[in-house]
Amino acid sequence: MQGTCGLFHTSYASESQLLPTSFQRWRFGLFFAAYAFCPLFLDAYDLSVLIMIHVAVIGAVALNLLTGCCGQISLGHGAFVGVGAYASAILSGLGLPFLLALPAGGLVAACVGMFFGIPSLRLKGIYLAIATLAAQIIIEYLFLHWDGLTGGSNGMIVASPDLFGLAIDDEPGHFWLSFAVAALVVLAVSNIMRTRPGRAFVAVRDYYLSAEIVGVNLFATKLAAFGVSSFLAGVAGGLWAHYVMYVTPEMFGVGLSISYLAMIIIGGMGSVQGSVFGAIFITLLPEFLTFASGAASDVLPGLSDSLMAMKEGIFGLVLVLFLIFEPEGLSYRWRLFKAYWKLYPFAH
Amino acid sequence: MEFYLQLFISGLVIGSIYSLVALGFVIIYKATKVVNFAQGEMLMAGAYVCFALTVQAGLPFIASFLLTLAFSVLLGLCIERLILRPMIGEPIISVIMVTIGLSSVLKAVVQFFWGTDIRVYPEVLPTEPVMVAGVPVAPVYVAAFLLSLLLFAAFTLFFKYSRYGIAMRATAFDQQAAQSMGIGIKNIFALSWCIAAVVSSIGGVILGNINGINIQLGQLGLKVFPAVILGGLDSLLGAAIGGLAIGVLENVCGGLAKDLLGLGGFREVSAFIFLVLILMVKPYGLFGTRHIERV
């Protein structure tokens, strides 16, 4: 490959590589190595934002697998995150080690997600969206009213996690933990996307009838998509719960489902990289607003209060503007950006 | 028993509001195939504008009611032109998300102008109750129910006989054929958003007269989904019957659950459990068009 201009694949294996060029491998490796040192020179608040980004990345990548790749619209993703959070919190409260409670919470979420995915056999598009919205509201009701298990509206306290006798109770610990899990999840989903089940997801999304004709079992594929997506959502929930150390029903409302959908749309549907971008963008948006209102308060004193009240409205506005002006999302913009620099300064 | 009769009647009243919101939803869905998640926020906007005109500007109720309708026409036009028209031909998830985004923008705008407190309308109707089937009912409830019936009659006639109503039905049936017969599809889209905004703001004004208004009013928009799924997504009659049925059902179920099982707040969730059941058994609802696919 050295000395040639362009990238020529000579085998299927080289074509389906995640990072085909050595430049990309170096770039990712260096970035991850540098990123892992963040806790050494960032304060606790910045780290907490980064931890929330890691959790959001896991959730968004999971939803992207279901909605972006398999085409099954889910308005219940927030509730599945919540199921994972509650399940892992309850299990670790019963004395299960964190390393087992986290995937166990994911499994519980996967079971719940697959149960609510059953209607997807018969329902498509808007009907499925409404069915998953119903799932969201029913699960939220259970969080709020199944007092014996969830602590009702008071929520419940979660013990801080413990890895092989090493207590993780400060921001750097949680940073490395959530970073490791997020990197694993992104790697796993990228790998799922280049195997047979992943291609089956895309086939079902593109046209269910031809997918079935080429031998994809529709029901099993859709159910698998719901299962994997809810499992990862549950893992995200478990991490979140163990980081903030409490869970309440308000954390997992319909607003959370909507913000996950917003992440994958703003990032670019169907692209793992896009979901990561979207998760970063949506998590940083309120931080940016806080910063901007703080900076503007010197000039316009009344502005900061009203800006905080407008948080949700600005979120909606950003969503609408993205859908109208940039429907392909941030990952498309990133591709254009890379294409521009590829032949710089000989752009044409 | 009287308790349940009371629940039944107040269910009919709240159900008639659900029907109105569902009517707006169905009109939009029928003509443009857009699923509008902002229906509840459109209701809320109408209710707040009417409140502002009556209480803050001091206009007589009838005048401010008419002005509210004019405002809703404008709101519907703006939403259609600025937000929904660029989305024609986009995938269904994008259209859903754009209406969700719209709903949070509308909510934020209302919150910006009026804050989050409960606002109460002045008394428009007398307060002493009238007797309906041996149960005392506030006149505003009766008025709400009658007004909803009247609106349904008016819209049924509109769709059956008026030129625009027939054009809207033709567009819903087949857009290309309608366009080739000289119907302006864009005008029809705009018209359907106007009607939807007007109908839901009437619902908002009625609701404001019953309970007062606050920022949570938009939550009502979620309740239209059980109603329209029960009635069928593209049926006006279905919206009317579905709304009434869901209103009664959730009131009675909530009462029963509290009495028999001691469950609080079951009213909110019962309609959605029912929704899942309908989707499993009869996804196209009572009066909806079936899309038959042979696989």
Side-chain angles (χ1 to χ4, degrees):
Chain A
M1 206 85 60
Q2 288 296 315
T4 56
C5 176
L7 188 59
F8 300 103
H9 297 296
T10 50
S11 67
Y12 287 118
S14 88
E15 195 192 356
S16 62
Q17 270 178 319
L18 287 178
L19 300 170
T21 64
S22 58
F23 175 66
Q24 279 175 320
R25 287 190 285 271
W26 271 105
R27 198 176 69 195
F28 266 85
L30 282 178
F31 173 74
F32 279 138
Y35 187 68
F37 285 106
C38 274
L40 300 184
F41 44 85
L42 286 179
D43 62 12
Y45 180 75
D46 292 340
L47 284 180
S48 76
V49 173
L50 289 179
I51 292 166
M52 288 325 289
I53 287 180
H54 296 156
V55 171
V57 163
I58 301 172
V61 166
L63 182 63
N64 181 51
L65 194 65
L66 179 64
T67 304
C69 299
C70 197
Q72 310 297 304
I73 302 172
S74 171
L75 279 168
H77 200 66
F80 301 147
V81 172
V83 170
Y86 271 105
S88 65
I90 290 164
L91 288 173
S92 71
L94 291 175
L96 209 62
F98 173 72
L99 217 49
L100 289 178
L102 190 66
L107 280 181
V108 174
C111 292
V112 175
M114 277 158 82
F115 174 74
F116 283 103
I118 292 175
S120 71
L121 176 65
R122 291 184 65 192
L123 306 175
K124 282 196 289 288
I126 175 58
Y127 288 97
L128 185 61
I130 295 176
T132 49
L133 177 69
Q136 163 82 39
I137 289 172
I138 292 169
I139 294 174
E140 227 181 300
Y141 176 81
L142 287 179
F143 288 158
L144 196 57
H145 289 273
W146 196 347
D147 289 347
L149 200 61
T150 65
S153 57
N154 294 328
M156 53 191 284
I157 305 284
V158 187
S160 69
D162 198 353
L163 274 186
F164 307 115
L166 193 72
I168 296 177
D169 49 6
D170 54 350
E171 260 72 21
H174 277 286
F175 173 86
W176 281 312
L177 173 69
S178 58
F179 176 51
V181 177
L184 264 180
V185 166
V186 170
L187 187 68
V189 171
S190 312
N191 275 327
I192 288 175
M193 286 320 296
R194 50 185 196 145
T195 55
R196 187 190 182 279
R199 290 194 296 272
F201 291 163
V202 176
V204 169
R205 173 193 69 185
D206 287 347
Y207 190 39
Y208 69 100
L209 208 54
S210 34
E212 193 162 35
I213 286 168
V214 297
V216 172
N217 182 341
L218 277 188
F219 188 47
T221 308
K222 287 178 179 176
L223 218 53
F226 266 100
V228 176
S229 159
S230 317
F231 174 80
L232 297 178
V235 170
L239 273 181
W240 188 11
H242 281 87
Y243 170 55
V244 295
M245 294 177 64
Y246 65 87
V247 275
T248 59
E250 296 95 75
M251 289 158 68
F252 311 108
V254 73
L256 185 67
S257 298
I258 291 173
S259 67
Y260 275 123
L261 276 172
M263 285 172 201
I264 65 169
I265 282 180
I266 285 178
M269 294 264 282
S271 137
V272 175
Q273 189 190 32
S275 322
V276 176
F277 286 162
I280 296 171
F281 184 89
I282 292 289
T283 317
L284 285 185
L285 186 65
E287 304 300 326
F288 173 74
L289 285 182
T290 315
F291 172 74
S293 64
S297 63
D298 303 334
V299 193
L300 294 164
L303 190 69
S304 64
D305 295 337
S306 55
L307 203 61
M308 291 333 277
M310 303 298 283
K311 225 178 214 174
E312 206 188 338
I314 290 174
F315 165 77
L317 194 65
V318 167
L319 184 57
V320 169
L321 292 179
F322 255 95
L323 281 164
I324 293 176
F325 295 109
E326 192 77 277
E328 304 283 329
L330 289 171
S331 70
Y332 174 71
R333 198 45 51 189
W334 173 242
R335 278 204 301 280
L336 289 186
F337 176 77
K338 279 198 303 191
Y340 176 79
W341 288 102
K342 197 176 265 173
L343 295 176
Y344 185 84
F346 308 108
H348 296 288
Chain B
M1 203 56 231
E2 193 181 323
F3 173 61
Y4 285 103
L5 199 58
Q6 192 97 44
L7 280 181
F8 181 81
I9 289 177
S10 63
L12 276 184
V13 174
I14 191 79
S16 62
I17 304 217
Y18 291 165
S19 309
L20 280 177
V21 184
L23 177 70
F25 182 92
V26 166
I27 287 172
I28 291 179
Y29 184 77
K30 229 172 131 71
T32 68
K33 291 285 176 290
V34 167
V35 176
N36 184 15
F37 275 75
Q39 201 72 43
E41 276 72 17
M42 281 157 72
L43 172 144
M44 182 173 75
Y48 269 97
V49 168
C50 188
F51 166 80
L53 291 171
T54 323
V55 178
Q56 293 169 336
L59 292 176
F61 181 72
I62 295 296
S64 62
F65 183 63
L66 293 177
L67 279 175
T68 306
L69 297 191
F71 166 80
S72 304
V73 169
L74 215 62
L75 179 72
L77 275 180
C78 287
I79 291 176
E80 198 276 333
R81 187 69 194 85
L82 294 178
I83 297 179
L84 268 303
R85 199 169 293 174
M87 300 306 291
I88 290 178
E90 294 284 332
I92 192 168
I93 172 127
S94 307
V95 179
I96 290 179
M97 288 309 284
V98 92
T99 58
I100 289 177
L102 173 69
S103 74
S104 50
V105 172
L106 281 178
K107 198 191 278 179
V109 170
V110 167
Q111 196 176 340
F112 182 74
F113 282 114
W114 290 283
T116 48
D117 305 335
I118 291 188
R119 305 302 185 98
V120 185
Y121 274 57
E123 297 290 345
V124 181
L125 291 166
T127 42
E128 61 262 33
V130 278
M131 300 301 274
V132 176
V135 180
V137 180
V140 63
Y141 280 33
V142 181
F145 188 67
L146 291 180
L147 192 57
S148 317
L149 281 186
L150 190 73
L151 274 171
F152 262 100
F155 275 108
T156 311
L157 291 177
F158 171 77
F159 279 109
K160 209 164 168 60
Y161 296 112
S162 90
R163 192 180 162 78
Y164 283 103
I166 293 170
M168 284 178 77
R169 279 194 296 152
T171 313
F173 191 70
D174 187 333
Q175 291 188 2
Q176 275 185 348
Q179 198 156 23
S180 64
M181 299 307 284
I183 295 171
I185 302 283
K186 286 176 182 167
N187 300 342
I188 296 298
F189 282 12
L191 183 65
S192 53
W193 276 89
C194 286
I195 294 179
V198 166
V199 171
S200 28
S201 69
I202 293 176
V205 173
I206 295 174
L207 210 59
N209 273 307
I210 295 176
N211 278 340
I213 48 179
N214 69 347
I215 204 80
Q216 299 301 324
L217 208 56
Q219 298 283 332
L220 202 89
L222 292 183
K223 285 290 171 54
V224 318
F225 291 113
V228 292
I229 290 289
L230 173 61
L233 263 182
D234 50 4
S235 156
L236 292 178
L237 180 67
I241 292 177
L244 289 178
I246 292 297
V248 170
L249 181 105
E250 66 168 20
N251 252 7
V252 173
C253 278
L256 277 175
K258 189 159 258 173
D259 266 10
L260 302 180
L261 306 168
L263 279 175
F266 190 71
R267 182 175 170 275
E268 298 302 317
V269 80
S270 58
F272 285 93
I273 294 175
F274 189 56
L275 161 67
V276 174
L277 294 180
I278 309 165
L279 280 176
M280 299 243 181
V281 181
K282 204 168 161 49
Y284 296 113
L286 295 176
F287 306 101
T289 318
R290 279 157 206 270
H291 298 277
I292 298 172
E293 284 174 19
R294 298 192 190 283
V295 182

